[in-house]
Amino acid sequence: MENIESKCGKIKEELETRLANVSDLKTLEEVRIEFFGKSGKITLLVGDIRNVPNEQKKKYGELTNATKEYAIAYFDDKKAVLDHLALVAEQQNSTAYDMSVPSKKKVGSLHPVTIVANEFSEIFKSMGFIVEQGNEIETEYNNFEALRIGKDHPARDMQDTFYLEDGRVLVTHTSSAQNRIYKQYGAPVRAIFPGRSYRNEDVDATHDVSFFQLEGILVDENITVANLLYFMKSVFSKAFGREIEVRLRPYFFPFTEPSFEVDVKCIYCGDTPCKVCKETTWIELAGCGMIHPEVLEMGGIDSKKYRGFAFGMGLTRFATLKYGIKDIRELHNLNFLKQFGLK
Ligand code: PHE
């Protein structure tokens, strides 16, 4: 019996070594015959029970059958791997695919926010602005302090701001890039920086935890509010493709003085006031103002010589208005977004 145990062990080992070197189905078939064929090693081993004395037959049967089962399972595993590899190879060599044939279906589309961001970028570029990019993660300094948003300003509240463990923040507005841009370019400078902002809000049809803004700065000598007003009017007229009436409403931002909100005359109202503007006939589209001299100084710009204005437009808001999207959450819905397919 000891003899048969070591015989079984040896055959298992032999099979394992043989299979380890097999890498194609043809050789695998040879191994199958060698072990499981009519006069294969396992077949003979099991069949040899005939020559075993009766009192040992039970034990012999158990041992050899267990060896056979193990061997079959081992062999089948190897076969499954090689079958799979053969299938992959066949697909790769297959003439059923011609990778160079152009696809009939156009896949992919630009997101509505990307579309309006691109449109605005073109408008600003034509007005001599450079297009920059801000960071989505910023220091508290850049997001708040460099914009005169003090330590106890409500905007810093945990309710609004997403803080990282290291104390940095997910930017709450694109103004967070202002300081870096001042330091990088000095004055005079004209730059826009579209980007994503984050606020810890309850999500509903008009609020999201993340939305896109487009920030712009223009710093030069002799810049006044009159320039700002004229500028906003030109930009929105270009964006809507026709002359647009614009008004500045006094507002407060810590980083601009004076500060305003920019409204455009509702483009959807016909003869009667409409729902889009909540029947006010004006739509708020941006915050803006004359950059506070301290903000310029923190950016290394001489505020006695230079003045400037800054504005922050809601790109997400603009996109929903432009395309008549009622619920901001649709901007994450791939099925909904399909309609913006590439032309
Ligand atoms: N950062 C302001 C906001 O998110 C917008 C703004 C930008 C206002 C630049 C003035 C100047 O609401």
Side-chain angles (χ1 to χ4, degrees):
M1 263 306 145
E2 243 171 80
N3 201 9
I4 180 64
E5 268 169 21
S6 72
K7 206 170 168 189
C8 287
K10 248 172 130 185
I11 289 186
K12 275 194 214 168
E13 235 172 76
E14 230 179 288
L15 177 70
E16 285 170 10
T17 327
R18 281 289 274 123
L19 285 179
N21 297 317
V22 171
S23 55
D24 62 279
L25 288 166
K26 193 166 158 275
T27 324
L28 187 75
E29 177 59 10
E30 286 167 19
V31 176
R32 191 190 66 76
I33 293 167
E34 196 181 319
F35 285 82
F36 305 101
K38 252 192 193 155
S39 42
K41 287 176 181 166
I42 304 256
T43 318
L44 292 182
L45 177 79
V46 174
D48 219 20
I49 195 162
R50 268 176 278 124
N51 310 318
V52 171
N54 273 349
E55 68 277 13
Q56 288 181 15
K57 275 196 192 327
K58 185 168 179 279
K59 185 89 181 161
Y60 186 91
E62 275 170 16
L63 273 172
T64 52
N65 275 318
T67 304
K68 184 179 170 184
E69 260 171 47
Y70 173 90
I72 288 175
Y74 201 88
F75 181 89
D76 283 351
D77 274 355
K78 181 76 185 192
K79 185 164 181 328
V81 171
L82 291 183
D83 277 345
H84 175 71
L85 289 177
L87 189 72
V88 171
E90 192 188 318
Q91 282 175 350
Q92 276 171 352
N93 297 329
S94 163
T95 47
Y97 298 112
D98 178 353
M99 304 299 252
S100 62
V101 175
S103 79
K104 287 199 197 99
K105 223 176 117 195
K106 298 231 166 70
V107 288
S109 60
L110 289 181
H111 193 279
V113 171
T114 308
I115 297 173
V116 300
N118 290 348
E119 285 170 5
F120 275 113
S121 294
E122 287 313 311
I123 292 172
F124 284 109
K125 274 198 250 172
S126 76
M127 298 167 108
F129 281 69
I130 50 168
V131 181
E132 271 290 335
Q133 236 187 335
N135 301 324
E136 289 190 21
I137 295 176
E138 262 298 354
T139 56
E140 273 202 281
Y141 178 82
N142 279 331
N143 195 70
F144 296 123
E145 266 119 82
L147 295 161
R148 301 183 69 253
I149 303 176
K151 274 260 182 275
D152 38 39
H153 192 281
R156 290 207 190 193
D157 201 312
M158 291 294 277
Q159 306 285 315
D160 287 317
T161 308
F162 289 110
Y163 282 87
L164 273 70
E165 274 172 7
D166 64 8
R168 288 183 302 165
V169 299
L170 295 185
V171 297
T172 57
H173 52 180
T174 42
S175 307
S176 57
Q178 282 194 21
N179 190 264
R180 286 186 197 279
I181 305 274
Y182 298 138
K183 283 179 178 154
Q184 186 177 346
Y185 293 100
V189 61
R190 299 172 175 221
I192 58 159
F193 21 110
R196 199 194 267 273
S197 303
Y198 298 85
R199 288 183 203 169
N200 196 351
E201 307 235 31
D202 289 334
V203 176
D204 62 27
T206 52
H207 296 90
D208 204 346
V209 285
S210 144
F211 52 95
F212 287 84
Q213 294 182 308
L214 186 148
E215 187 92 0
I217 51 167
L218 186 155
V219 180
D220 211 328
E221 293 176 51
N222 308 318
I223 300 293
T224 67
V225 174
N227 298 120
L228 169 59
L229 179 58
Y230 178 75
F231 179 83
M232 294 309 310
K233 187 174 159 61
S234 315
V235 167
F236 285 121
S237 295
K238 283 190 186 181
F240 286 107
R242 63 183 159 98
E243 187 85 353
I244 289 280
E245 210 182 318
V246 169
R247 75 174 181 191
L248 298 184
R249 239 179 327 106
Y251 200 71
F252 174 77
F253 297 106
F255 37 95
T256 45
E257 179 58 40
S259 305
F260 307 96
E261 281 198 318
V262 185
D263 295 339
V264 298
K265 193 81 186 168
C266 181
I267 33 160
Y268 300 101
C269 289
D271 292 334
T272 47
C274 76
K275 283 212 179 89
V276 179
C277 61
K278 299 197 183 94
E279 305 193 349
T280 62
T281 75
W282 291 97
I283 299 179
E284 180 219 318
L285 275 184
C288 67
M290 301 303 292
I291 303 165
H292 198 290
E294 284 175 21
V295 171
L296 289 176
E297 293 290 339
M298 281 186 272
I301 289 176
D302 179 357
S303 66
K304 296 222 169 48
K305 183 162 180 209
Y306 293 104
R307 303 245 31 211
F309 59 74
F311 53 91
M313 301 172 12
L315 274 188
T316 300
R317 177 153 167 71
F318 192 86
T320 53
L321 274 177
K322 173 162 179 175
Y323 294 109
I325 300 169
K326 299 243 156 36
D327 191 325
I328 202 171
R329 288 167 288 196
E330 296 285 24
L331 295 174
H332 305 300
N333 175 353
L334 287 182
N335 273 332
F336 176 84
L337 293 171
K338 270 188 199 145
Q339 62 183 295
F340 298 94
L342 295 174
K343 305 261 158 35

